[in-house]
Amino acid sequence: MDSEESNACALVLTGGGARAAYQVGVLKAIAERLPRGQAIPFPILVGTSAGAINATALACYASCFQLGVKKLEHVWSNLHTQDVLRLQVGKVVGHSLKSVFYSALGKPSQIALPWFDNSPLERLLEKLIDFQRIDNNLLYGALEVLAITASNYNTGDSTTFYQGRPYHEPWARAGRSGRSAIIASPHLMASSALPFIFKPCRLQNHHYGDGSIHQLNPLSPAIHLGAQRILIVSLAPDERSATTLPSDPSSSDIAGHLLDTVFTDALTSDIERLQRVNNTIKLIPERKREQLSLRHIDNLVLKPSKNLDAMTHQHFDKLPYNIRSLLRLFGVNAGDATGLSSFLLFEKDYCKELIALGYQDTQARLEEVCTFLGITPIAL
């Protein structure tokens, strides 16, 4: 085992842009059932992309779970798109004209610029997250480890940066590795930098992008860091609410489908793989399990009961005009249920609706969640 915790519980938060507000609703429902001032019930925090930002915020308030969730809810409930990103209209247009010019001359065009500038997000993180608190929570035992995953463009690997107690050791496997680091805003910017949408982030002489791109085993960091139980908050739709592409998909349909694939397919496969391993372990005599370096890992998956794409309808017009115009070039209109706009809709009304859904979905399974976490819920 990589951890001294005998029954350590990990929380895994996935990426999904603005959809990650759903995770806050899940956390709110759990926090309400714990005594005020209690530490987080999952000392191992693992996040990717927007989920990495939520996980880091929780790590800063690991000693008081309710306070951390309240602060997260306040930020997401007052968010505007311009707080996170802005469209680089001049640069995009300028690059397009240069590409046409170079093509006419028979010369190779320049490397495409990212569509959006995410420096507003970097300023927001620096303003709201006190990274020093992570060290304090590790020192006083409220937190076991925080892990943030990014994609290394130079090597093609999935790299997990973790900040934890001294006995956690780095790991290296095919296509993935774990490195000890002092987590700061550059790690969060790297983990959430979608290709072509945002520019890569430079860390230790390598360029990194969104952690979901190369992450074929999203549960691997939690397992390497010693988790015995994993609570997974997925943003993939429940099978009953999932949608399929129309017979004649538009560019926006395809773009949304690709983003869904990046953020959810690997996690779904990894959960199935974990369940198969658990079933296999049950068939192996207990005295032989240690020889195989395998251990049973309980897991619980929470996911939206409604289609998050469809929820964008009434909020589309709240996006900045230039972003709406760009999306319309891809065939996105207010009445379309497309994943593309749901990833970029960092608007407070949409986020509040997602928080409410996450809260509602978790309340519906509260007894199961509390049993899994081993907590006795307080009466409201």
Side-chain angles (χ1 to χ4, degrees):
M1 283 185 57
D2 299 296
S3 171
E4 292 180 355
E5 297 288 332
S6 60
N7 197 27
C9 182
L11 173 67
V12 173
L13 300 178
T14 62
R19 296 177 175 193
Y22 177 87
Q23 299 167 350
V24 181
V26 173
L27 297 169
K28 179 181 178 180
I30 298 172
E32 282 186 352
R33 296 299 176 140
L34 292 173
R36 187 172 298 176
Q38 183 167 319
I40 54 174
F42 10 75
I44 299 174
L45 294 171
V46 179
T48 302
S49 195
I53 296 174
N54 285 340
T56 302
L58 286 180
C60 292
Y61 293 93
S63 60
C64 185
F65 181 48
Q66 283 191 0
L67 179 59
V69 174
K70 283 183 178 180
K71 287 185 174 292
L72 261 179
E73 183 182 12
H74 175 76
V75 172
W76 280 97
S77 297
N78 292 277
L79 203 59
H80 293 286
T81 304
Q82 58 264 31
D83 297 327
V84 179
L85 55 88
R86 62 187 180 198
L87 182 61
Q88 301 186 118
V89 179
K91 289 185 177 180
V92 172
V93 172
H95 170 75
S96 299
L97 293 174
K98 284 182 180 179
S99 296
V100 172
F101 177 73
Y102 282 121
S103 296
L105 295 177
K107 298 181 179 179
S109 60
Q110 298 175 341
I111 297 175
L113 291 165
W115 293 347
F116 296 98
D117 171 21
N118 58 351
S119 60
L121 173 60
E122 187 170 20
R123 290 193 293 269
L124 182 67
L125 294 176
E126 293 288 354
K127 177 183 176 181
L128 296 177
I129 297 182
D130 182 0
F131 292 94
Q132 180 60 44
R133 295 179 66 102
I134 299 174
D135 252 348
N136 295 338
N137 286 319
L138 287 168
L139 179 64
Y140 294 109
L143 179 68
E144 171 74 19
V145 62
L146 168 67
I148 304 301
T149 299
S151 296
N152 189 324
Y153 286 148
N154 296 95
T155 65
D157 290 344
S158 175
T159 303
T160 298
F161 299 97
Y162 67 88
Q163 183 174 350
R165 298 186 188 178
Y167 44 77
H168 288 295
E169 297 181 354
W171 67 88
R173 298 290 186 273
R176 63 188 190 277
S177 63
R179 301 182 188 178
S180 177
I182 303 299
I183 302 297
S185 57
H187 298 92
L188 302 184
M189 297 301 294
S191 182
S192 59
L194 272 172
F196 301 108
I197 304 295
F198 299 126
K199 65 180 180 181
C201 188
R202 188 179 179 87
L203 289 171
Q204 301 172 349
N205 296 321
H206 282 202
H207 289 88
Y208 291 87
D210 195 286
S212 301
I213 301 170
H214 293 136
Q215 195 176 40
L216 300 180
N217 305 94
L219 302 181
S220 172
I223 295 172
H224 277 291
L225 294 168
Q228 296 296 305
R229 293 171 291 137
I230 305 177
L231 177 64
I232 306 156
V233 184
S234 172
L235 300 177
D238 186 279
E239 287 75 11
R240 295 166 296 178
S241 62
T243 58
T244 56
L245 289 178
S247 56
D248 187 18
S250 66
S251 299
S252 64
D253 292 325
I254 296 172
H257 177 72
L258 288 175
L259 287 174
D260 274 331
T261 299
V262 167
F263 285 118
T264 64
D265 282 10
L267 177 62
T268 301
S269 297
D270 213 19
I271 292 170
E272 290 181 354
R273 186 181 303 112
L274 177 61
Q275 292 170 343
R276 286 198 302 271
V277 171
N278 284 342
N279 292 334
T280 301
I281 290 175
K282 291 178 182 178
L283 302 175
I284 301 174
E286 192 167 345
R287 65 182 182 277
K288 294 184 177 181
R289 293 178 188 176
E290 292 184 5
Q291 301 174 14
L292 299 175
S293 299
L294 292 174
R295 67 180 190 271
H296 183 280
I297 298 175
D298 292 324
N299 64 94
L300 179 64
V301 183
L302 300 175
K303 58 175 58 177
S305 60
K306 294 182 180 179
N307 188 300
L308 302 187
D309 296 347
M311 293 170 63
T312 64
H313 291 169
Q314 60 183 333
H315 306 292
F316 181 80
D317 288 336
K318 295 183 176 67
L319 280 168
Y321 174 77
N322 56 5
I323 295 180
R324 293 202 312 271
S325 300
L326 176 66
L327 291 175
R328 287 190 174 110
L329 288 177
F330 284 88
V332 180
N333 295 301
D336 297 334
T338 174
L340 189 56
S341 56
S342 69
F343 287 99
L344 300 176
L345 236 167
F346 293 97
E347 292 295 330
K348 61 180 184 180
D349 290 339
Y350 177 59
C351 293
K352 285 180 181 178
E353 193 172 345
L354 291 178
I355 292 171
L357 179 62
Y359 181 86
Q360 171 189 315
D361 289 346
T362 307
Q363 287 281 37
R365 300 178 61 185
L366 193 60
E367 184 177 347
E368 181 185 6
V369 172
C370 289
T371 299
F372 179 80
L373 294 175
I375 60 178
T376 302
I378 62 172
L380 295 179

